[in-house]
Structure formats: C-alpha cells, structure tokens
Amino acid sequence: MKSKIPAVPYLIWTLVFVLVPLFLVIYFAFTNQRGDFTLDNFSSVTAFTPVIMRSVILATIATIICLILAYPLSYYISRQEKTIQHALIMLVMLPMWMNFLLRTYAWMSILENNGLINKALLFMGLSPVKLINTQAAVLIGMVYNYLPFMILPLYSVMTKIHQSLIEASQDLGANSFNVFSKVIFPLSLPGMAAGVTMVFVAAVSTFVISRMLGGGSNILIGDLIEMQFLGMSYNPNLGSAISLVLIVISLCAIMLMQQIDEEDEDVKGMFL
C-alpha cells in the first residue's frame, strides 16, 4: 500500500486556503451582520441581475473569440518541428511573464481617445473612434489576457494527434473537411473543454480589466464583489452571497465542459 504522507501538505493547503475560506463565504452569505440566519442577502443579489448577465455574456463572447483564434493557431503550432513548437509556445507565454496590471495599462494607452489606434486613424485621414470605457475594450482586454489559457490546452492535446491518423484518413478517401470533422476535431475536444473552462471562469470573475478598460459604466460581477469587501459600500454578507452566485456559475460551466469531455471518451474508442 502506497504511503499517503506526501499528500499531507496538499491536504493542509486545501483545508486552509480552500475549504476554510469557502466555509466563511457560505457562513456570511446566509447570515446578517448580527450573525442571524437569513436569505435577504440572496434577495438583494437579484437587484444586480443585469450586471451578472453582462458578466456571463461578455465572458461567453470572449471565450468564443479565444476559441476561434486559438484553435487554428494551436493546430499550426502542433504540426511544426519540435524546436519551432517550443519557440512559438514561448512567444505565446511571453506576455504572461509580465504583470497583469502592466499588460492592462498598456491596452489603456492603446485604446484611449489619444491612443495609438486613434492616432493611426487620424494619420490615415479617418475619424477617431470611442474605444476606451466600452464593452468592446473589456472584450479586447479579456481576449488578450486569457488567450494563452485557450492555446496551451489545445496545443497539448493536438500534439498527441499522430500524423498517421490524418494520413490514414486521407488514404481512405477523406477530404480536408472530413479529416477535420471526423479526426482532428473529436480528438481535440478534451483540450477545447479545458481551454473553454479556464477562459470562461477567469473572464466571468475578472474585475481589473472591467475597471481599467470599461470604466464605471461596465462593471462586472467581480467589481460588485470587490466593492462589497473593499469599497465604500462595505457589506461582506452581500459580497459573500454574490460570490456564491459566481461559484455556482463557474461550477455550471465546469460541469458542462466535463460532460463534453466524458462524451469524448466514447469518441476516443473509435480510434483505439
């Protein structure tokens, strides 16, 4: 029987930094400031339904855009020589070595009214456009910051799709569309599910991007939670209730992607 001692540090870490904070969130969500049990906090959350819906919609759009951009790029990288693969993956990860706030500040200078994009438009004789403090700016920030989280899992799965499978399907008369739909796409579903989960969960809970690029008129659920704990309207009980709603949304996304991953196991059996 294998020793469980190496797992003890992980169990302690999980208890202290996951389970205890989660218990505190649940406790505050179902109590008032006097510590009495109540459901009023969740009744108050309904007032923020437009913000929650905006968060889900923007996160969904950002996830779809990341998937559209990352899928062909990941496949292209996976078909290159190993040395080229490593160089391209390093380029993908390079922005992640920079501080998150610095990357977002850089986009502020690009998107602001006198930023690089509007200066380029004026240089070409075109009228400037309003970019900063818009939902489009928030989407741009989400896609830029979270795109690597979609590329890496897709790439890791696509590198395991052996070239012989593609060649065999072509030898059997499959055209490019059939090769993609019958071989590449089904085998890439695990990486797609992982990437979608990572991007959506990160995007739906973000607050720095929406604050810096979206302005005060484009707050998201992460901003609401921050305001309840750190803002002028200090209310940890309401903030905990909103946090539980965010946890439920994230869990629903994870369960949906797990269901897709489980269905993919049956697809894998066709190739093994």
Side-chain angles (χ1 to χ4, degrees):
M1 183 176 179
K2 294 183 178 180
S3 175
K4 297 182 180 179
I5 294 178
V8 172
Y10 171 76
L11 294 176
I12 296 175
W13 177 277
T14 303
L15 176 64
V16 175
F17 295 102
V18 178
L19 296 182
V20 172
L22 181 60
F23 172 78
L24 292 175
V25 168
I26 295 174
Y27 171 77
F28 280 108
F30 287 96
T31 57
N32 55 25
Q33 295 180 354
R34 297 187 303 272
D36 301 327
F37 176 82
T38 181
L39 296 176
D40 292 342
N41 296 320
F42 292 96
S43 299
S44 301
V45 172
T46 58
F48 302 108
T49 301
V51 177
I52 296 174
M53 293 302 300
R54 183 191 303 128
S55 302
V56 174
I57 292 172
L58 288 179
T60 302
I61 295 174
T63 302
I64 293 173
I65 295 175
C66 285
L67 179 60
I68 294 174
L69 295 176
Y71 199 96
L73 178 59
S74 301
Y75 181 75
Y76 172 79
I77 296 175
S78 67
R79 299 299 100 183
Q80 303 302 311
E81 298 291 336
K82 286 295 181 182
T83 54
I84 299 179
Q85 287 185 28
H86 296 160
L88 293 176
I89 288 297
M90 186 186 70
L91 291 177
V92 170
M93 297 179 63
L94 192 60
M96 300 175 66
W97 298 352
M98 189 186 303
N99 183 272
F100 188 90
L101 289 175
L102 291 178
R103 299 201 305 266
T104 309
Y105 270 121
W107 273 105
M108 289 180 65
S109 64
I110 295 173
L111 300 175
E112 64 185 7
N113 295 331
N114 294 322
L116 296 177
I117 293 179
N118 279 326
K119 286 181 179 179
L121 292 175
L122 290 173
F123 178 78
M124 293 184 292
L126 302 175
S127 300
V129 294
K130 175 68 174 177
L131 293 173
I132 197 68
N133 298 334
T134 63
Q135 291 187 7
V138 176
L139 280 174
I140 292 173
M142 287 181 177
V143 171
Y144 173 77
N145 283 290
Y146 301 132
L147 183 60
F149 295 104
M150 184 72 75
I151 294 176
L152 295 178
L154 279 171
Y155 162 76
S156 64
V157 170
M158 288 181 174
T159 53
K160 299 176 183 177
I161 302 177
H162 203 278
Q163 185 65 25
S164 61
L165 290 175
I166 300 176
E167 294 174 353
S169 61
Q170 292 173 340
D171 291 340
L172 292 174
N175 55 29
S176 299
F177 177 78
N178 288 331
V179 170
F180 172 77
S181 61
K182 301 296 184 181
V183 179
I184 298 174
F185 182 77
L187 292 178
S188 64
L189 281 178
M192 187 187 306
V196 167
T197 301
M198 294 171 64
V199 172
F200 179 82
V201 171
V204 77
S205 59
T206 188
F207 63 93
V208 173
I209 296 174
S210 55
R211 184 204 305 161
M212 297 174 63
L213 299 181
S217 60
N218 293 281
I219 64 172
L220 303 181
I221 188 170
D223 300 294
L224 288 178
I225 296 172
E226 184 197 24
M227 286 189 293
Q228 303 307 317
F229 286 98
L230 301 177
M232 296 298 293
S233 56
Y234 179 76
N235 190 342
N237 302 94
L238 178 58
S240 297
I242 300 174
S243 299
L244 273 187
V245 172
L246 178 58
I247 291 174
V248 171
I249 294 173
S250 300
L251 287 177
C252 290
I254 293 172
M255 292 174 62
L256 178 62
M257 291 301 103
Q258 284 182 341
Q259 183 66 29
I260 295 176
D261 197 18
E262 290 175 359
E263 292 177 356
D264 181 65
E265 293 297 328
D266 298 332
V267 177
K268 284 184 178 179
M270 299 169 55
F271 299 93
L272 300 177

